[in-house]
């Protein structure tokens, strides 16, 4: 285990805590307010470890839905992790199974975005440690904030705008990635399609619709706007300007 890469991954995810902390408080306060208790809140943060899915699970169960429907809702929202895993696979193919499983367990939006950018400029073998280090920091902060939210959530004033945490998390991830025109096109199309799909009643599938549309638009923009570029390969920087 390369502890230097482990620490580097954790340091890289420190700025992400600005969104993770309030989001974790919401993820802890919501199930507690719905009557599920502190243990249930911590259990979801440990097992599911995905804010939007946890909130959807609470919403389904609090509304009288079955555990199967709640699990299906969480699984649907987390389908995007399949896309993450597919793009990470070439970088982690050489890693032993326990490290790949550890990377999968701590995989969230934040450490994925940072790790995939970090790996694009490196060819070393200690790649799993970088992602695991970031995931451990985010996971620890998430569980601690969930516990605090579950314990004191009812004492927080209603006018405290914790709802801003969810979009803030993804804005923190998005802005640094907009380094070229295809990325801007992908983000714009993906956002418009996701919002439009949600307004038309797509529910949680709006996330997948936006992701697929954004990937397609970004790929086409890469071909049309920069037709002379070499196609990106695993382990190589797809954008020479970065």
């Amino acid at each position: 285990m390369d502890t230097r890469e482990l620490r580097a991954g954790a340091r890289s995810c420190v700025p992400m805590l600005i969104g993770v902390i309030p989001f974790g408080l919401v993820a802890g306060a919501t199930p507690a307010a719905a009557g599920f208790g502190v243990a249930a809140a911590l259990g979801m943060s440990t097992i599911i470890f995905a804010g939007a899915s946890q909130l959807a699970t609470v919403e389904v169960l609090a509304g009288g839905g079955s555990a199967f429907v709640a699990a299906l809702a969480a699984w649907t929202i987390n389908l995007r992790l399949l896309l993450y895993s597919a793009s990470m696979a070439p970088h982690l193919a050489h890693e032993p199974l326990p490290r790949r499983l550890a990377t999968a367990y701590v995989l969230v939006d934040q450490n994925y975005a940072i790790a995939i950018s970090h790996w694009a400029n490196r060819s070393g073998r200690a790649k799993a440690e970088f992602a695991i280090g970031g995931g451990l920091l985010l996971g620890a902060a998430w569980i601690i904030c969930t516990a605090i939210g579950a314990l004191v959530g009812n004492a927080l004033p209603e006018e405290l705008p914790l709802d801003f945490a969810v979009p803030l998390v993804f804005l923190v991830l998005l802005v640094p990635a907009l380094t070229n025109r295809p990325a801007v096109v992908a983000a714009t199309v993906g956002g418009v399609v996701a919002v439009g799909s949600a307004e038309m009643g797509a529910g949680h599938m709006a996330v997948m619709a936006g992701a697929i549309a954004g990937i397609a638009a970004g790929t086409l923009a890469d071909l049309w706007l920069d037709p002379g570029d070499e196609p990106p390969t695993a382990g190589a920087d797809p954008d020479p300007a970065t």
Side-chain angles (χ1 to χ4, degrees):
M1 179 69 73
D2 189 329
T3 57
R4 185 173 54 184
E5 282 297 301
L6 204 67
R7 292 194 298 272
R11 286 195 301 271
S12 296
C13 285
V14 168
M16 300 299 166
L17 295 178
I18 190 174
V20 169
I21 291 174
F23 199 0
L25 293 173
V26 173
T30 301
F36 292 103
V38 177
L42 288 175
M44 283 191 286
S45 283
T46 304
I47 297 171
I48 302 178
F49 187 28
S53 298
Q54 292 178 221
L55 296 180
T57 300
V58 172
E59 182 179 350
V60 171
L61 294 176
S66 66
F68 174 77
V69 174
L72 184 62
W75 178 80
T76 302
I77 295 174
N78 281 342
L79 279 176
R80 69 188 187 283
L81 298 179
L82 287 175
L83 303 176
Y84 296 171
S85 299
S87 69
M88 295 172 76
H91 296 283
L92 301 177
H94 63 279
E95 298 282 357
L97 181 60
R99 290 185 191 176
R100 279 183 281 159
L101 292 176
T103 305
Y105 175 69
V106 299
L107 177 62
V108 291
D109 301 280
Q110 292 90 341
N111 68 336
Y112 164 76
I114 291 176
I116 205 71
S117 299
H118 177 74
W119 292 341
N121 299 312
R122 297 174 66 89
S123 58
R125 294 183 59 82
K127 291 186 173 181
E129 287 90 335
F130 187 87
I132 293 172
L136 289 176
L137 173 73
L138 297 172
W142 182 254
I143 292 173
I144 292 171
C145 291
T146 299
I148 295 173
L151 290 171
V152 305
N154 292 333
L156 296 176
E158 293 184 358
E159 59 271 18
L160 190 64
L162 290 178
D163 290 347
F164 79 99
V166 179
L168 179 61
V169 167
F170 292 98
L171 283 175
V172 169
L173 293 174
L174 174 65
V175 174
L178 301 179
T179 56
N180 52 40
R181 289 180 294 178
V184 173
V185 171
T188 303
V189 173
V192 170
V193 171
V195 173
S197 301
E199 291 295 325
M200 289 187 290
H204 298 309
M205 289 304 295
V207 176
M208 280 302 295
I212 294 172
I215 292 171
T219 302
L220 293 175
D222 190 42
L223 294 174
W224 290 342
L225 298 177
D226 299 302
D229 287 353
E230 294 292 334
T233 57
D237 186 351
D239 181 6
T242 60

